[in-house]
Amino acid sequence: METKVKDIIAKYGVDPAQIIAMLQDLQSAKRYLPEEDLRELAAILGIPLAHIYRIATFFKAFSLEPKGEHIINVCVGTACHVRGASRILDELERQLGVASGGTTSDQKFSLETVNCLGACALGPVVVVDQEYHGDMTPGQVDKLMENYR
Amino acid sequence: MKRIQSASELEAYRQECMASRDPQRTVITICAGTGCQAHGCSNVVAAMQQELDKQGLDQVEVKATGCHGFCERGPLVVIHPQGVFYNKVKVEDVPDIIARTVKEGEVIESLLYALPATKEQISLEKDVPFYKLQERIIFGSNGLIDPTSIDDYLAIGGYQALSKALTGMTTDAVLDEVKISGLRGRGGGGFPTGRKWESTRDVDSGVKYVICNADEGDPGAYMDRSLLEGNPHSVIEGMLLGAYAVGATEGYVYVRHEYPLAVANLTMALEAAREMGFLGQNILGSGFNFDIKISRGGGAFVCGESSALIASIEGQVGEPRAKHIHMAESGLWGKPTVLNNVETWANVPVIIDKGAELFRSIGTEGSPGTKIFSLVGKVNNTGLVEVPMGISLREIIFDIGGGIPGGRSFKAVQTGGPSGGCIPEEHLDLQVDFDELDKVGSMMGSGGMIVMDDRTCMVDVAKYFLNFLKGESCGKCTTCREGILRMYEILDKITRGEGELSDLDMLEKLASVVQEASMCGLGKTAPNPVLSTLRYFRDEYLAHINDKKCPAGVCKDLIHFEIDPDACTGCHKCARVCPVDAAHGKKKEPHEIDQEKCIKCGMCYDACKFDAVKII
Ligand SMILES: Cc1cc2nc3c(=O)[nH]c(=O)nc-3n(C[C@H](O)[C@H](O)[C@H](O)COP(=O)(O)O)c2cc1C
Ligand code: SF4
Ligand code: SF4
Ligand code: SF4
Ligand code: FES
Ligand code: FES
């Protein structure tokens, strides 16, 4: 694992213009952006750590906090919203006991929202660990979660 | 794969590709777009192949294609050459499809699409009303080809426009054709594509760029995703033609990171195009050089804005810049740049191949061609529809979309996403094009068309968009950063039943300041959803403010659930689904809701088969 930053540099070269792609790779490898890795990147690329933090906090794809084992993404895009996405989010928040954006204390689940997954015809959509579940209702939330508990 | 070095070699190779595709051969196409994958199509594809192998039917081909548009009904299976159309296909259905339809030519009724009203069953894809009324000049190929096969694209005439341009047309002729076609950008604003190209062409510079905007941040729209996933070569070919016309040598596709399949299919398509010599040096022996790179977006709506997008490709924070300098002169890395939307690019090969005049014959005078809409929300047939400009909203929503589900009534259609507005019933006969939508206070935008029924609260919808935009504002302009927030707070107050009449004046005042004093399109158009709902649905705002009621039954603080004892049969269903034990009662006796406990989730309302649960 420690060599991850080096792998990324090997892939993209010492090219500060590729910073967003590098952070994306780091994020998918570690599910968040650990501080020590960002420091290492900044040092190798010769750019200020603050610049990396600015990018890491600007884009929604990045997280500076460790995420849970399972990532639950509720689409709250317009199509899903008019078909009742907020009631599904409410129910997930209630069942997990965390607000959207949070991670359960046992580190099992992170609950997030997304503004459209491009599967609007199936709304409301919930994605758990990349797996799409369309036409969700609040009543189905319990059954869905059972698969991951 | 061999490198193709001239137009005649391309033609010869195309003939080979076509010859290996016997039109009489049975081909089973299965949609493998994101929507159908969510419905489990991958298992259907695997089962189909297994079953064919098992039965030794090796002359039958299975093809996993991109999105066919009718995503709501997925997984979709079409059996060619007849064009038999099956919807909602499950793995269990596969042996039957092969035994009965493929082998015996028999149609399986239970898998056919049935008209919602009459239950009449339809066997062939071309007869399904959802498709019949469309004109799918760019999206139609999606259902015919395997997006990972360049040969498939060549077999349907792919790269023909490129070969025509490079061998028979000057760069000016290509530009002229696009200008004459009247093509307007499909990314939102509808700027004439030919004029945009011309300004870039006119700049004298060594390096120029063309960029494809595949950020698609508009929530509720997904046509760019489906095009890029389902027919990546059409976008590549469009970019090649644009690059040739303006003299660009490098291109970028900026794709949002939420679209992994689009990135994968595009990556594969770029490699194939490079190997065959459609990208790289001396393309088709014409001396033209061009290549394309992919840039993955970080997932911010504002990155779809041109200057923010460029900053993001350059590895900077994706914030808009003031536009006193035009991209045509100084875009990516300070070089002249053309930026167009995915769908815009996909239109270009059609124009060059078929000619500007043919293109102009479709659509309206001011907005030629077709537009792909994402028809979603409270409508029966949800999915992507490609229609000629000038078709009415009513035809799209009722004839193609099949109307509103559950016998409810139409209330509004939202077009143009966060920059657009809500259009009420009185404008249903409006002929959709760039200018007509503007006239009623909405806009074309990227083509999101979200249908709303009487159970949608328009104040809530306005609040929804502002909530979205307040999270997406980059924060540079005070009017945008603070103005949207204030407008949101006012709407939130109204939906909680604490609104006052003077709030509406305040909203209108704020709207005009935010519109006028914000730098980029995000801020400039942010008030539109509020203004259009105020214009057409003021009554609903007044009900929230004066009567403290939400007529649509959405705003939680203004509603509660009650059981009508006369309608209740005591079936106990509501009590079983209620997550907090608020609905209770003895079996076979009228039930009740404990208002103290109730969290207003509405599960009892959805569960009750006897309409006994009322929203008050
Ligand atoms: C906030 C904001 C977001 C935008 N998002 C997109 C987008 O996701 N996709 C897109 O093609 N255009 C988007 N646009 C419009 C682009 O800036 C640009 O006008 C368009 O890509 C030009 O392409 P066209 O001429 O082919 O329409 C956005 C504009 C703004 C102001
Ligand atoms: S209008 Fe809003 S999003 Fe656009 S530059 Fe200003 S603050 Fe940023
Ligand atoms: S589900 Fe409806 S009919 Fe059944 S007990 Fe509840 S309110 Fe009564
Ligand atoms: S609205 Fe939800 S919480 Fe309230 S009674 Fe119905 S099911 Fe129970
Ligand atoms: S709005 Fe939810 S997937 Fe598009
Ligand atoms: S994803 Fe299959 S029809 Fe759209």
Side-chain angles (χ1 to χ4, degrees):
Chain A
M1 269 309 225
E2 310 96 71
T3 56
K4 197 65 210 176
V5 169
K6 305 235 157 52
D7 294 346
I8 289 171
I9 293 291
K11 177 168 165 196
Y12 293 99
V14 183
D15 178 4
Q18 297 286 337
I19 184 71
I20 297 173
M22 294 179 184
L23 294 182
Q24 265 160 345
D25 283 9
L26 192 62
Q27 168 93 22
S28 36
K30 303 208 170 165
R31 297 207 306 245
Y32 81 113
L33 301 175
E35 182 182 331
E36 62 271 29
D37 288 353
L38 298 186
R39 285 187 185 280
E40 196 181 337
L41 257 179
I44 297 174
L45 295 176
I47 54 178
L49 186 63
H51 178 68
I52 297 190
Y53 267 99
R54 224 177 138 222
I55 289 174
T57 51
F58 183 84
F59 292 109
K60 300 242 155 21
F62 302 128
S63 169
L64 297 170
E65 302 286 325
K67 296 241 172 131
E69 202 180 311
H70 300 292
I71 298 183
I72 306 170
N73 243 312
V74 183
C75 176
V76 294
T78 326
C80 291
H81 179 79
V82 307
R83 287 200 185 178
S86 62
R87 294 198 293 146
I88 289 152
L89 182 62
D90 285 350
E91 184 55 18
L92 275 162
E93 287 182 336
R94 208 184 60 81
Q95 289 209 7
L96 295 173
V98 290
S100 108
T103 298
T104 54
S105 52
D106 61 1
Q107 300 287 311
K108 221 157 162 163
F109 297 102
S110 288
L111 181 62
E112 292 174 3
T113 60
V114 55
N115 286 323
C116 182
L117 292 153
C120 321
L122 315 179
V125 183
V126 175
V127 178
V128 188
D129 305 336
Q130 318 282 333
E131 210 178 303
Y132 286 67
H133 304 271
D135 292 319
M136 283 299 291
T137 62
Q140 286 168 11
V141 165
D142 203 32
K143 232 173 86 199
L144 173 70
M145 297 305 297
E146 259 171 33
N147 301 332
Y148 301 94
R149 281 212 170 98
Chain B
M1 231 177 282
K2 67 167 196 173
R3 202 182 150 83
I4 291 181
Q5 308 196 19
S6 69
S8 53
E9 271 182 47
L10 171 59
E11 214 28 59
Y13 186 74
R14 185 194 315 288
Q15 292 308 325
E16 261 176 59
C17 291
M18 285 163 71
S20 69
R21 283 163 177 71
D22 171 8
Q24 289 317 311
R25 179 180 180 193
T26 305
V27 179
I28 304 172
T29 58
I30 305 177
C31 174
T34 305
C36 287
Q37 294 208 352
H39 285 304
C41 71
S42 311
N43 297 336
V44 176
V45 176
M48 199 72 86
Q49 194 59 61
Q50 258 172 20
E51 190 66 25
L52 287 173
D53 292 346
K54 204 166 91 190
Q55 304 218 17
L57 290 167
D58 52 2
Q59 73 279 21
V60 177
E61 190 187 345
V62 176
K63 206 186 272 288
T65 71
C67 173
H68 297 201
F70 206 177
C71 317
E72 207 241 324
R73 289 266 147 185
L76 304 180
V77 171
V78 184
I79 295 133
H80 300 275
Q82 301 86 344
V84 174
F85 177 81
Y86 290 147
N87 67 164
K88 295 194 183 260
V89 175
K90 292 191 267 317
V91 171
E92 303 87 273
D93 300 322
V94 167
D96 240 18
I97 294 180
I98 290 171
R100 291 171 59 190
T101 311
V102 173
K103 281 186 156 169
E104 307 294 334
E106 196 187 309
V107 166
I108 304 168
E109 293 193 344
S110 60
L111 295 175
L112 292 179
Y113 173 75
L115 293 179
T118 60
K119 305 277 171 262
E120 185 200 332
Q121 288 176 323
I122 297 176
S123 329
L124 300 183
E125 184 180 32
K126 67 177 175 52
D127 297 328
V128 174
F130 178 80
Y131 290 119
K132 208 159 80 182
L133 300 160
Q134 296 188 41
E135 190 159 341
R136 301 197 301 160
I137 61 170
I138 45 179
F139 200 59
S141 313
N142 258 32
L144 304 174
I145 60 172
D146 170 356
T148 63
S149 157
I150 193 168
D151 288 359
D152 265 20
Y153 184 64
L154 291 169
I156 60 159
Y159 291 108
Q160 200 156 285
L162 178 73
S163 138
K164 180 174 173 183
L166 293 189
T167 54
M169 294 168 84
T170 62
T171 56
D172 280 353
V174 173
L175 179 63
D176 280 344
E177 202 69 21
V178 173
K179 269 170 73 183
I180 296 166
S181 77
L183 174 66
R184 296 171 69 171
R186 303 302 197 231
F191 191 81
T193 305
R195 271 203 357 237
K196 189 187 269 187
W197 291 13
E198 192 170 33
S199 355
T200 301
R201 185 221 34 201
D202 289 346
V203 184
D204 204 6
S205 159
V207 182
K208 291 180 190 175
Y209 297 99
V210 295
I211 302 177
C212 171
N213 188 345
D215 192 51
E216 197 163 68
D218 179 359
Y222 65 111
M223 61 289 293
D224 292 348
R225 163 183 211 155
S226 293
L227 267 176
L228 214 47
E229 282 177 4
N231 196 353
H233 285 290
S234 69
V235 180
I236 297 172
E237 189 176 3
M239 291 177 74
L240 272 154
L241 291 162
Y244 178 66
V246 305
T249 49
E250 280 179 57
Y252 279 88
V253 181
Y254 185 84
V255 200
R256 68 186 343 219
H257 86 114
E258 281 97 338
Y259 288 179
L261 185 61
V263 174
N265 286 2
L266 179 65
T267 306
M268 218 183 284
L270 288 173
E271 276 164 19
R274 218 168 276 135
E275 265 180 58
M276 289 199 96
F278 299 130
L279 289 172
Q281 302 291 309
N282 194 19
I283 298 165
L284 292 179
S286 67
F288 171 57
N289 309 324
F290 179 70
D291 210 336
I292 297 175
K293 292 194 184 114
I294 297 178
S295 177
R296 282 182 300 160
F301 173 64
V302 75
C303 284
E305 194 275 340
S306 45
S307 59
L309 184 146
I310 283 178
S312 173
I313 297 183
E314 290 173 351
Q316 297 162 26
V317 172
E319 277 177 0
R321 274 174 273 186
K323 277 209 202 124
H324 42 261
I325 312 167
H326 274 285
M327 279 187 38
E329 287 128 44
S330 176
L332 186 61
W333 286 298
K335 301 291 179 198
T337 302
V338 168
L339 173 74
N340 278 121
N341 167 263
V342 174
E343 195 183 332
T344 314
W345 287 119
N347 267 294
V348 174
V350 178
I351 292 168
I352 299 301
D353 191 27
K354 305 249 163 62
E357 288 311 325
L358 193 117
F359 187 80
R360 280 202 82 95
S361 70
I362 307 167
T364 60
E365 181 64 32
S367 308
T370 59
K371 174 79 192 92
I372 307 175
F373 290 101
S374 131
L375 185 61
V376 293
K378 303 286 189 70
V379 60
N380 273 316
N381 303 333
T382 55
L384 296 178
V385 303
E386 182 180 353
V387 290
M389 300 264 197
I391 189 174
S392 73
L393 283 170
R394 192 185 297 281
E395 285 169 285
I396 299 178
I397 296 164
F398 288 89
D399 298 344
I400 298 176
I404 316 302
R408 307 210 74 98
S409 59
F410 172 87
K411 184 169 193 172
V413 56
Q414 207 279 343
T415 73
S419 306
C422 295
I423 304 170
E425 192 165 10
E426 61 187 273
H427 291 307
L428 268 180
D429 290 309
L430 179 111
Q431 314 231 300
V432 183
D433 73 4
F434 286 105
D435 311 316
E436 294 300 307
L437 287 171
D438 281 354
K439 280 187 203 154
V440 295
S442 189
M443 63 183 263
M444 178 77 83
S446 56
M449 204 171 254
I450 292 113
V451 182
M452 300 172 180
D453 67 0
D454 55 348
R455 281 277 280 130
T456 315
C457 168
M458 303 315 281
V459 186
D460 175 71
V461 167
K463 180 173 101 170
Y464 163 82
F465 279 112
L466 288 186
N467 183 42
F468 170 78
L469 290 166
K470 92 177 156 51
E472 298 295 335
S473 165
C474 83
K476 253 188 181 176
C477 318
T478 323
T479 44
C480 173
R481 187 181 66 232
E482 305 292 332
I484 293 176
L485 178 65
R486 275 298 291 143
M487 290 176 78
Y488 168 80
E489 285 168 355
I490 294 172
L491 287 169
D492 187 49
K493 205 175 102 184
I494 297 175
T495 56
R496 278 189 284 110
E498 293 160 18
E500 297 154 47
L501 267 182
S502 59
D503 286 337
L504 298 186
D505 298 332
M506 191 50 151
L507 275 177
E508 276 164 350
K509 251 188 230 140
L510 280 166
S512 70
V513 175
V514 174
Q515 261 171 350
E516 268 172 48
S518 300
M519 191 171 74
C520 85
L522 188 148
K524 280 189 203 306
T525 58
N528 287 359
V530 181
L531 291 174
S532 76
T533 47
L534 271 173
R535 174 165 162 193
Y536 297 118
F537 300 95
R538 191 172 276 265
D539 280 0
E540 215 164 325
Y541 281 86
L542 294 177
H544 284 76
I545 293 172
N546 294 334
D547 314 335
K548 310 294 174 210
K549 284 225 163 13
C550 175
V554 171
C555 298
K556 273 193 171 182
D557 293 306
L558 304 181
I559 57 165
H560 68 275
F561 292 86
E562 272 177 28
I563 294 173
D564 172 2
D566 294 332
C568 177
T569 63
C571 73
H572 208 56
K573 185 104 193 265
C574 53
R576 276 202 303 273
V577 299
C578 177
V580 292
D581 292 328
H584 60 90
K586 290 203 182 76
K587 278 225 158 142
K588 303 221 169 98
E589 283 177 27
H591 281 46
E592 275 183 10
I593 290 173
D594 181 342
Q595 298 297 336
E596 293 285 305
K597 275 193 190 166
C598 175
I599 54 167
K600 300 181 186 175
C601 69
M603 284 191 221
C604 53
Y605 180 88
D606 294 336
C608 181
K609 295 244 178 348
F610 305 94
D611 279 336
V613 181
K614 305 285 179 207
I615 304 173
I616 310 284

